[in-house]
């Protein structure tokens, strides 16, 4: 399995004014060139040909740093693909995405554009604790401890597995589930704030 980290921060910034190198980018993991886990960084880190290869986007939760380039991706691809891109998550996250982003106020409803028969985006519901096949990998969402409905993910193919915590404070179910997975090779764990900022960590 090939994993590219397009971004792993809660914000975006350039290293040098006027340069192109970033010292941080919002969350986005590209798996096997065709599946994104979170979409905080997707369009700005990939050229159009690479964006066209994305067929599935899995969202851990609805915070903006995890989804803010999904509107850009839809806008970039609407004229160059006829197959909808699947946006998969638990029901609460998909509901928030439609209510607060693709609501024809903040951004057009790309789940119904260019027309309802052939939208650029379609949803797929993931169920907590149940494994789903998306492209060439299988994912199991496990609820974690965050301010909004959020899942960590166990991702596997026939050879290897890895676990992504998503945004979480102390949590247990994800680690118990991951411990049962054969061939678990890596754990990507959120570490947004250092111990000396634990008050902010608890508040946020
Ligand atoms: Zn969050």
């Amino acid at each position: 399995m090939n994993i590219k980290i397009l971004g792993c921060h809660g914000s975006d910034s350039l290293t040098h004014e006027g340069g192109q190198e970033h010292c941080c980018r919002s969350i986005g993991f590209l798996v096997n060139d065709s599946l994104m886990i979170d979409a905080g960084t997707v369009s700005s880190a990939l050229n159009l040909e690479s964006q066209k290869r994305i067929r599935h986007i899995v969202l851990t939760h609805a915070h903006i740093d995890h989804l803010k380039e999904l509107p850009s991706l839809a806008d970039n691809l609407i004229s160059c693909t006829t197959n909808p891109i699947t946006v998969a998550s638990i029901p609460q996250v998909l509901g928030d995405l439609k209510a607060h982003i693709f609501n024809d106020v903040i951004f057009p409803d790309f789940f119904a554009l260019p027309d309802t028969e052939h939208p650029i985006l379609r949803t797929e519901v993931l169920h907590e604790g149940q494994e789903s096949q998306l492209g060439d990998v299988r994912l199991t969402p496990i609820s974690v401890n965050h301010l909004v409905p959020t899942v960590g993910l166990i991702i596997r193919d026939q050879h290897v597995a890895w676990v992504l915590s998503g945004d979480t404070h102390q949590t247990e179910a994800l680690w118990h589930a991951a411990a049962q997975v054969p061939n678990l090779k890596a754990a990507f764990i959120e570490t947004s704030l250092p111990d000396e900022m634990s008050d902010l960590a608890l508040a946020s």
Side-chain angles (χ1 to χ4, degrees), residues 121-178:
L121 301 177
R122 62 176 286 272
T123 57
E124 181 165 330
V125 173
L126 302 180
H127 299 283
E128 209 269 334
Q130 295 183 21
E131 191 173 61
S132 295
Q133 180 94 37
L134 288 176
D136 53 6
V137 298
R138 300 184 71 82
L139 299 99
T140 305
I142 307 289
S143 291
V144 293
N145 178 11
H146 198 29
L147 286 176
V148 295
T150 302
V151 292
L153 296 165
I154 296 168
I155 303 106
R156 70 180 181 95
D157 62 15
Q158 57 196 13
H159 304 295
V160 297
W162 57 291
V163 58
L164 173 70
S165 72
D167 284 5
T168 186
H169 191 239
Q170 293 171 349
T171 195
E172 291 295 331
L174 181 65
W175 310 128
H176 290 304

Side-chain angles (χ1 to χ4, degrees), residues 173-189:
L174 181 65
W175 310 128
H176 290 304
Q180 306 301 314
V181 177
N183 296 323
L184 189 74
K185 298 297 185 186
F188 291 55
I189 303 168

